[in-house]
Amino acid sequence: MKASLSLIVSLLAVTVSSKRIHFQKETVRSSCVRCCGPLEKPASPYRLSPSHRMASDHPIYAMPEIKPKIDMTILKGSKGEQGERGMPGKTGKAGPIGSVGTTGLKGDKGQVGIPGNNCKQHYAAFSVGRKKGIQSKELQTQLIFDTEFVNLYHHFNMFTGKFYCFVPGVYFFNLNVHTWNFKETYLHLVRNGEEVVILYTQPSNRSIMQSQSVMLDLSEKDEVWVRLYQENRENAIYSGEGDVYITFNGYLIKAAAEGSD
C-alpha cells in the first residue's frame, strides 16, 4: 500500500515538473505584453517581425516615437541697429465730419474796451426859391434864387446859386418850375459843369408846373446848380410878383462816413 502511494506521488511530481519547464520556456519565448485597459488598441501585427508575431498570442503594442523639441528662444540673437526712416505714405482720404459737440461752459467776462469815438451824425439840406420870372438871352444862363427857405450850415451859396458838398454821400435833388406862356422851357441840372438831367417843356398856351428829380453820389467839393439853355427858341420860366413858382431843393440821404451796413 505504501509502495503504491509512493509511486503515485512520484508520477505526479514528474508531471508537475515537466509542466513548469514548459511554462518557463513559453514565458521566455513571449514578448512584452502591455497590461493596460481594453480600450487601448494594440499595434497592428503586420508591422511586427515574424518572430514577434509568433512569440505570443497576446496583443502587442508599438514603442512610442520620441521627437526632440528645440526651444528657439535660446537661439535668438542680439537686437540689431535701427534702420533708416522710410518715405512718408500718401495722404489718406478725409474722414467723415464728426457730430457737433456739446455746448461748452460760458467764458469769463472780458475786459472793458477803449472808449470809442462819439457818434457823429451828418446833415446837409437846403430849399431855395425865386419870385421873379426869367427869360434867357444867352446860350447858357445861371439861375439865381432870391428866397431862402432852408439852408443848413449855408452849404448853398445864394450869390452863386450853387450847392457845395462838404459832406460826401448820397443826395436827393428836386427842381420845380412854372412854364411861361408860349415860351419854351429848357433847363439843366448840372454837377461840376456837366449836365445830369434835363427839364423840358414845349411852348403852350397853358400855364403848367413842371418837375424833375434825381439822386447823386457826391464827393467833397462837388458843385451842383441849375442853368437855362437856349437853343433855337426863346427860353423862359414864369413866376408872379410876390409868389414863388420856382424852387430848388436838396438834402443828404446817407453820408459816406456812415459806411455801407
Side-chain angles (χ1 to χ4, degrees), residues 30-257:
S30 63
S31 61
C32 295
V33 178
R34 186 164 181 165
C35 57
C36 297
L39 297 177
E40 295 187 0
K41 295 182 180 181
S44 175
Y46 297 101
R47 297 177 60 183
L48 303 176
S49 62
S51 61
H52 285 126
R53 289 199 302 268
M54 295 174 61
S56 175
D57 295 335
H58 296 282
I60 298 185
Y61 298 88
M63 295 298 292
E65 183 179 1
I66 300 175
K67 294 182 179 180
K69 183 177 180 182
I70 300 175
D71 188 359
M72 298 303 293
T73 58
I74 64 176
L75 301 178
K76 184 178 180 181
S78 59
K79 185 177 181 180
E81 297 180 357
Q82 184 176 358
E84 297 181 358
R85 186 174 182 179
M87 297 293 293
K90 296 181 179 179
T91 304
K93 296 181 179 179
I97 300 175
S99 57
V100 180
T102 57
T103 304
L105 299 176
K106 185 178 180 180
D108 298 332
K109 186 177 181 180
Q111 298 179 354
V112 179
I114 60 175
N117 297 326
N118 293 330
C119 182
K120 184 178 180 180
Q121 302 220 358
H122 304 275
Y123 301 98
F126 72 91
S127 179
V128 293
R130 182 181 176 93
K131 295 180 180 179
K132 295 180 180 181
I134 183 173
Q135 182 173 346
S136 175
K137 297 180 181 180
E138 300 177 358
L139 180 63
Q140 296 179 358
T141 302
Q142 176 75 37
L143 184 59
I144 304 299
F145 297 88
D146 55 20
T147 303
E148 182 182 77
F149 298 107
V150 175
N151 192 4
L152 196 62
Y153 307 120
H154 300 283
H155 290 178
F156 187 89
N157 191 317
M158 296 294 293
F159 296 98
T160 62
K162 295 182 178 180
F163 171 76
Y164 297 91
C165 178
F166 292 95
V167 182
V170 178
Y171 286 79
F172 174 81
F173 295 97
N174 171 258
L175 175 63
N176 301 283
V177 298
H178 186 201
T179 59
W180 187 276
N181 288 338
F182 302 101
K183 300 292 183 180
E184 184 180 48
T185 302
Y186 201 151
L187 294 93
H188 292 159
L189 183 65
V190 182
R191 176 177 61 181
N192 299 333
E194 296 182 0
E195 64 181 61
V196 180
V197 293
I198 298 173
L199 190 154
Y200 176 78
T201 302
Q202 292 181 340
S204 173
N205 59 355
R206 296 181 301 171
S207 296
I208 303 174
M209 292 294 299
Q210 304 290 337
S211 178
Q212 179 66 281
S213 302
V214 67
M215 287 194 298
L216 299 176
D217 189 359
L218 301 183
S219 300
E220 189 174 358
K221 297 182 180 180
D222 281 352
E223 300 176 4
V224 179
W225 70 91
V226 179
R227 72 185 178 194
L228 282 78
Y229 179 77
Q230 183 178 3
E231 194 172 19
N232 298 324
R233 303 175 182 177
E234 293 182 335
N235 186 12
I237 51 178
Y238 173 78
S239 185
E241 293 293 335
D243 296 326
V244 178
Y245 288 87
I246 306 167
T247 59
F248 182 35
N249 312 288
Y251 57 89
L252 175 65
I253 297 176
K254 185 176 180 63

